[in-house]
Amino acid sequence: MTIRVLLADDQALLRATFRILIDSCEDMEVVAEATDGAEAVDLARLHRPDVILMDIRMPGTDGLTATSVICADVELTDTRVLILTTFEIDEYVAQALRSGASGFLGKDVTAEALLSGIRTVASGDSLLSPGATRTLITRFLATPGLGTRLASSDDLTGLTSREREVMAWVAEGHSNEEIAEKLFVSPLTVRTHVHRAMTKLGARDRAQLVVMAYQSGLVQALPPDGR
């Protein structure tokens, strides 16, 4: 299957560069380009892309607002948002993840990392490195008053002990393969536990499962100094 990508960025040169790179791959194509968040929402509803590369800082409707609208649209449940940002860690990225974005990339990303990131997000996984995950959670996601709360401790009562355990490892940024090694099971078994936990909690994807793990208290955020 071809991964259909929507580009949302106000910089024409960057969009052109990304389009050339993406269209050069046999397994993906750019279906449309948006110059601001409002246009991104309209084009997402028109083309139903698999992945949206979304810049946060755009004139008019910004990428954060657009991400919230797109991820809340029941007609776009199969569309994944991959945030593009000049800064890998900032409050806007954290809010975008809370709104339903599946991950983020710095604008200085290499061509290989960009294409890999698109494929990762399109497959239903999140694009969050362990270090970035912990930093985001510590600085923003666990801070009271920052956006909608997705989960409480009561919401986890329907999970099995193994699903909780796997969810905790996911929240710490470990891949399915790494978790499988720790639990002496297959990666497929881990993936099954992850998807069952997502289904029970109503998580859009792995990134929202991470947010829920911290907001519910399943995993504790470290203090800002990491100690």
Side-chain angles (χ1 to χ4, degrees):
M1 292 180 62
T2 300
I3 300 172
R4 305 171 71 254
V5 181
L6 168 63
L7 302 177
D9 196 298
D10 62 321
Q11 298 181 42
L13 180 58
L14 192 62
R15 293 198 313 274
T17 301
F18 284 160
R19 174 182 277 277
I20 292 172
L21 179 62
I22 293 169
D23 284 345
S24 69
C25 298
E26 293 183 354
D27 63 335
M28 60 181 74
E29 65 174 341
V30 174
V31 295
E33 297 181 22
T35 59
D36 60 33
E39 188 176 16
V41 173
D42 291 340
L43 290 175
R45 288 170 173 164
L46 177 63
H47 294 281
R48 307 289 178 87
D50 300 301
V51 176
I52 300 175
L53 286 181
M54 180 79 76
D55 184 26
I56 288 182
R57 296 174 177 86
M58 293 184 287
T61 302
D62 62 25
L64 179 60
T65 301
T67 296
S68 298
V69 174
I70 290 169
C71 293
D73 192 329
V74 295
E75 298 296 324
L76 296 174
T77 54
D78 293 328
T79 296
R80 300 286 180 257
V81 177
L82 181 55
I83 297 296
L84 289 171
T85 177
T86 304
F87 307 99
E88 278 208 355
I89 305 298
D90 65 18
E91 182 176 344
Y92 297 110
V93 173
Q95 291 182 26
L97 292 175
R98 190 186 299 108
S99 299
S102 296
F104 64 93
L105 288 170
K107 283 192 173 181
D108 58 350
V109 64
T110 64
E112 182 180 353
L114 174 66
L115 298 175
S116 175
I118 292 173
R119 293 186 180 103
T120 296
V121 170
S123 71
D125 287 332
S126 61
L127 193 64
L128 296 170
S129 68
T133 300
R134 285 191 285 270
T135 302
L136 281 167
I137 295 296
T138 298
R139 292 186 179 182
F140 304 110
L141 297 181
T143 302
L146 282 179
T148 304
R149 193 164 189 84
L150 298 178
S152 67
S153 57
D154 292 339
D155 295 320
L156 271 59
T157 56
L159 301 183
T160 65
S161 58
R162 179 48 62 92
E163 288 166 352
R164 285 171 175 254
E165 185 178 15
V166 170
M167 183 176 173
W169 285 117
V170 169
E172 292 185 3
H174 296 283
S175 67
N176 289 349
E177 289 71 19
E178 291 171 338
I179 298 172
E181 289 183 6
K182 294 177 183 296
L183 300 181
F184 302 102
V185 297
S186 71
L188 180 59
T189 297
V190 173
R191 188 178 182 85
T192 298
H193 287 308
V194 171
H195 280 276
R196 284 178 179 170
M198 287 168 51
T199 299
K200 290 180 179 180
L201 296 174
R204 178 184 176 89
D205 57 18
R206 197 180 180 101
Q208 280 203 340
L209 195 66
V210 169
V211 177
M212 291 177 172
Y214 280 90
Q215 289 189 336
S216 66
L218 178 65
V219 177
Q220 297 298 315
L222 296 173
D225 60 5
R227 294 179 295 179

